[in-house]
CSV table of all heavy atoms in Angstrom, one decimal:
chain,number,residue,atom,x,y,z
I,1,LEU,N,-56.4,-61.5,20.4
I,1,LEU,CA,-55.5,-60.4,20.4
I,1,LEU,C,-54.1,-60.8,19.9
I,1,LEU,O,-53.6,-60.2,19.1
I,1,LEU,CB,-55.3,-59.7,21.8
I,1,LEU,CG,-56.6,-58.9,22.3
I,1,LEU,CD1,-56.4,-58.6,23.8
I,1,LEU,CD2,-56.6,-57.7,21.5
I,2,ALA,N,-53.7,-61.9,20.4
I,2,ALA,CA,-52.3,-62.4,20.1
I,2,ALA,C,-52.3,-62.7,18.6
I,2,ALA,O,-51.4,-62.5,17.9
I,2,ALA,CB,-51.8,-63.5,21.0
I,3,GLY,N,-53.3,-63.4,18.1
I,3,GLY,CA,-53.4,-63.9,16.8
I,3,GLY,C,-53.5,-62.8,15.7
I,3,GLY,O,-53.2,-62.9,14.5
I,4,SER,N,-53.8,-61.5,16.2
I,4,SER,CA,-53.9,-60.4,15.3
I,4,SER,C,-52.6,-59.8,15.1
I,4,SER,O,-52.4,-58.9,14.3
I,4,SER,CB,-54.8,-59.3,15.9
I,4,SER,OG,-54.3,-58.7,17.0
I,5,LEU,N,-51.5,-60.2,15.8
I,5,LEU,CA,-50.2,-59.6,15.7
I,5,LEU,C,-49.2,-60.4,14.8
I,5,LEU,O,-49.5,-61.6,14.6
I,5,LEU,CB,-49.6,-59.7,17.2
I,5,LEU,CG,-50.4,-58.9,18.2
I,5,LEU,CD1,-49.9,-59.1,19.6
I,5,LEU,CD2,-50.6,-57.4,17.9
I,6,SER,N,-48.1,-59.8,14.4
I,6,SER,CA,-47.0,-60.5,13.8
I,6,SER,C,-46.5,-61.7,14.7
I,6,SER,O,-46.5,-61.7,15.9
I,6,SER,CB,-45.9,-59.6,13.4
I,6,SER,OG,-45.2,-59.3,14.6
I,7,PRO,N,-45.8,-62.7,14.1
I,7,PRO,CA,-45.3,-63.8,14.8
I,7,PRO,C,-44.4,-63.3,16.0
I,7,PRO,O,-44.5,-63.9,17.1
I,7,PRO,CB,-44.7,-64.7,13.9
I,7,PRO,CG,-45.4,-64.4,12.5
I,7,PRO,CD,-45.7,-63.0,12.6
I,8,SER,N,-43.5,-62.5,15.8
I,8,SER,CA,-42.6,-62.0,16.8
I,8,SER,C,-43.3,-61.2,17.9
I,8,SER,O,-43.0,-61.5,19.1
I,8,SER,CB,-41.4,-61.3,16.2
I,8,SER,OG,-41.8,-60.0,15.6
I,9,ARG,N,-44.2,-60.4,17.5
I,9,ARG,CA,-45.0,-59.6,18.4
I,9,ARG,C,-45.9,-60.5,19.2
I,9,ARG,O,-46.1,-60.3,20.4
I,9,ARG,CB,-45.7,-58.5,17.7
I,9,ARG,CG,-46.5,-57.6,18.6
I,9,ARG,CD,-45.7,-56.8,19.6
I,9,ARG,NE,-46.6,-56.1,20.4
I,9,ARG,CZ,-46.7,-56.3,21.8
I,9,ARG,NH1,-46.1,-57.3,22.3
I,9,ARG,NH2,-47.6,-55.7,22.5
I,10,GLU,N,-46.4,-61.6,18.6
I,10,GLU,CA,-47.3,-62.5,19.3
I,10,GLU,C,-46.4,-63.2,20.4
I,10,GLU,O,-47.0,-63.4,21.5
I,10,GLU,CB,-47.9,-63.5,18.3
I,10,GLU,CG,-48.8,-64.6,19.0
I,10,GLU,CD,-49.2,-65.6,18.1
I,10,GLU,OE1,-48.6,-65.8,17.0
I,10,GLU,OE2,-50.2,-66.3,18.4
I,11,ARG,N,-45.4,-63.6,20.1
I,11,ARG,CA,-44.5,-64.3,21.0
I,11,ARG,C,-44.2,-63.3,22.3
I,11,ARG,O,-44.3,-63.8,23.4
I,11,ARG,CB,-43.2,-64.6,20.3
I,11,ARG,CG,-42.1,-65.2,21.2
I,11,ARG,CD,-40.9,-65.5,20.3
I,11,ARG,NE,-39.8,-66.1,21.1
I,11,ARG,CZ,-38.6,-65.5,21.4
I,11,ARG,NH1,-38.5,-64.2,21.0
I,11,ARG,NH2,-37.8,-66.1,22.0
I,12,GLU,N,-43.9,-62.2,22.1
I,12,GLU,CA,-43.6,-61.2,23.1
I,12,GLU,C,-44.9,-60.9,23.9
I,12,GLU,O,-44.9,-60.8,25.1
I,12,GLU,CB,-43.1,-60.0,22.5
I,12,GLU,CG,-42.7,-58.8,23.4
I,12,GLU,CD,-42.2,-57.5,22.6
I,12,GLU,OE1,-43.2,-56.9,22.1
I,12,GLU,OE2,-41.0,-57.4,22.5
I,13,PHE,N,-46.0,-60.8,23.2
I,13,PHE,CA,-47.4,-60.4,23.8
I,13,PHE,C,-47.8,-61.6,24.7
I,13,PHE,O,-48.1,-61.3,26.0
I,13,PHE,CB,-48.4,-60.3,22.7
I,13,PHE,CG,-49.8,-60.0,23.2
I,13,PHE,CD1,-50.2,-58.8,23.4
I,13,PHE,CD2,-50.6,-61.2,23.3
I,13,PHE,CE1,-51.5,-58.6,23.9
I,13,PHE,CE2,-52.0,-60.9,23.8
I,13,PHE,CZ,-52.4,-59.6,24.1
I,14,LEU,N,-47.6,-62.9,24.3
I,14,LEU,CA,-48.0,-63.9,25.1
I,14,LEU,C,-47.2,-64.1,26.3
I,14,LEU,O,-47.6,-64.5,27.4
I,14,LEU,CB,-48.1,-65.2,24.3
I,14,LEU,CG,-49.4,-65.3,23.3
I,14,LEU,CD1,-49.1,-66.6,22.4
I,14,LEU,CD2,-50.7,-65.2,24.1
I,15,ALA,N,-45.8,-63.9,26.2
I,15,ALA,CA,-45.0,-64.0,27.3
I,15,ALA,C,-45.2,-62.9,28.4
I,15,ALA,O,-45.3,-63.0,29.5
I,15,ALA,CB,-43.5,-63.8,26.8
I,16,GLY,N,-45.6,-61.7,27.8
I,16,GLY,CA,-46.0,-60.6,28.7
I,16,GLY,C,-47.1,-60.9,29.5
I,16,GLY,O,-47.4,-60.6,30.7
I,17,ARG,N,-48.3,-61.5,28.9
I,17,ARG,CA,-49.5,-61.9,29.5
I,17,ARG,C,-49.2,-63.0,30.6
I,17,ARG,O,-49.8,-63.0,31.6
I,17,ARG,CB,-50.5,-62.4,28.5
I,17,ARG,CG,-51.1,-61.3,27.6
I,17,ARG,CD,-51.4,-60.1,28.3
I,17,ARG,NE,-52.1,-59.0,27.6
I,17,ARG,CZ,-51.8,-57.8,27.2
I,17,ARG,NH1,-50.6,-57.5,27.2
I,17,ARG,NH2,-52.6,-57.0,26.7
I,18,PHE,N,-48.4,-63.9,30.3
I,18,PHE,CA,-48.0,-64.9,31.2
I,18,PHE,C,-47.3,-64.4,32.4
I,18,PHE,O,-47.8,-64.6,33.6
I,18,PHE,CB,-47.1,-66.0,30.5
I,18,PHE,CG,-46.9,-67.3,31.5
I,18,PHE,CD1,-47.9,-68.2,31.4
I,18,PHE,CD2,-45.9,-67.3,32.3
I,18,PHE,CE1,-47.8,-69.4,32.3
I,18,PHE,CE2,-45.7,-68.4,33.2
I,18,PHE,CZ,-46.7,-69.5,33.1
I,19,ALA,N,-46.4,-63.4,32.2
I,19,ALA,CA,-45.7,-62.8,33.4
I,19,ALA,C,-46.8,-62.0,34.2
I,19,ALA,O,-46.8,-62.0,35.4
I,19,ALA,CB,-44.6,-61.9,32.8
I,20,ALA,N,-47.6,-61.3,33.5
I,20,ALA,CA,-48.7,-60.5,34.2
I,20,ALA,C,-49.6,-61.5,35.1
I,20,ALA,O,-49.9,-61.1,36.2
I,20,ALA,CB,-49.6,-59.7,33.1
I,21,LYS,N,-49.9,-62.6,34.5
I,21,LYS,CA,-50.8,-63.7,35.2
I,21,LYS,C,-50.0,-64.1,36.5
I,21,LYS,O,-50.5,-64.2,37.6
I,21,LYS,CB,-51.1,-64.8,34.3
I,21,LYS,CG,-52.1,-64.5,33.3
I,21,LYS,CD,-52.2,-65.7,32.3
I,21,LYS,CE,-53.0,-65.3,31.2
I,21,LYS,NZ,-54.5,-65.6,31.2
I,22,GLU,N,-48.7,-64.4,36.4
I,22,GLU,CA,-47.9,-64.8,37.5
I,22,GLU,C,-47.8,-63.6,38.6
I,22,GLU,O,-47.9,-63.8,39.7
I,22,GLU,CB,-46.5,-65.1,37.0
I,22,GLU,CG,-46.4,-66.4,36.2
I,22,GLU,CD,-46.3,-67.7,37.1
I,22,GLU,OE1,-46.4,-67.6,38.4
I,22,GLU,OE2,-46.2,-68.7,36.6
I,23,ALA,N,-47.7,-62.4,38.2
I,23,ALA,CA,-47.7,-61.2,39.1
I,23,ALA,C,-49.0,-61.0,39.8
I,23,ALA,O,-49.0,-60.9,41.0
I,23,ALA,CB,-47.3,-59.9,38.3
I,24,VAL,N,-50.1,-61.3,39.1
I,24,VAL,CA,-51.4,-61.1,39.8
I,24,VAL,C,-51.5,-62.3,40.8
I,24,VAL,O,-52.1,-62.0,41.8
I,24,VAL,CB,-52.5,-61.3,38.6
I,24,VAL,CG1,-53.9,-61.5,39.3
I,24,VAL,CG2,-52.5,-60.1,37.8
I,25,LEU,N,-51.1,-63.5,40.5
I,25,LEU,CA,-51.1,-64.5,41.4
I,25,LEU,C,-50.4,-64.3,42.7
I,25,LEU,O,-50.7,-64.6,43.8
I,25,LEU,CB,-50.7,-65.9,40.8
I,25,LEU,CG,-51.6,-66.4,39.8
I,25,LEU,CD1,-51.1,-67.8,39.2
I,25,LEU,CD2,-53.0,-66.7,40.4
I,26,LYS,N,-49.3,-63.5,42.5
I,26,LYS,CA,-48.4,-63.1,43.7
I,26,LYS,C,-49.2,-62.0,44.6
I,26,LYS,O,-49.2,-62.1,45.8
I,26,LYS,CB,-47.1,-62.7,43.3
I,26,LYS,CG,-46.2,-63.8,42.7
I,26,LYS,CD,-44.9,-63.2,42.0
I,26,LYS,CE,-44.2,-64.4,41.5
I,26,LYS,NZ,-43.1,-64.0,40.7
I,27,VAL,N,-50.0,-61.2,44.0
I,27,VAL,CA,-50.9,-60.3,44.6
I,27,VAL,C,-51.9,-61.1,45.4
I,27,VAL,O,-52.2,-60.8,46.6
I,27,VAL,CB,-51.6,-59.4,43.8
I,27,VAL,CG1,-52.8,-58.6,44.3
I,27,VAL,CG2,-50.5,-58.4,43.0
I,28,LEU,N,-52.4,-62.2,44.8
I,28,LEU,CA,-53.4,-63.0,45.5
I,28,LEU,C,-52.8,-64.0,46.5
I,28,LEU,O,-53.5,-64.6,47.3
I,28,LEU,CB,-54.2,-63.8,44.4
I,28,LEU,CG,-54.9,-63.0,43.4
I,28,LEU,CD1,-55.7,-63.9,42.4
I,28,LEU,CD2,-55.9,-62.1,44.1
I,29,GLY,N,-51.5,-64.1,46.5
I,29,GLY,CA,-50.8,-65.0,47.5
I,29,GLY,C,-50.9,-66.6,47.2
I,29,GLY,O,-51.0,-67.3,48.1
């Protein structure tokens, strides 16, 4: 999914996914 985006949008997309993963881990404790 990230690779299908422009470089600037890919950067933003991957950072958003990383933040989402961290938020999910907080749900899981």
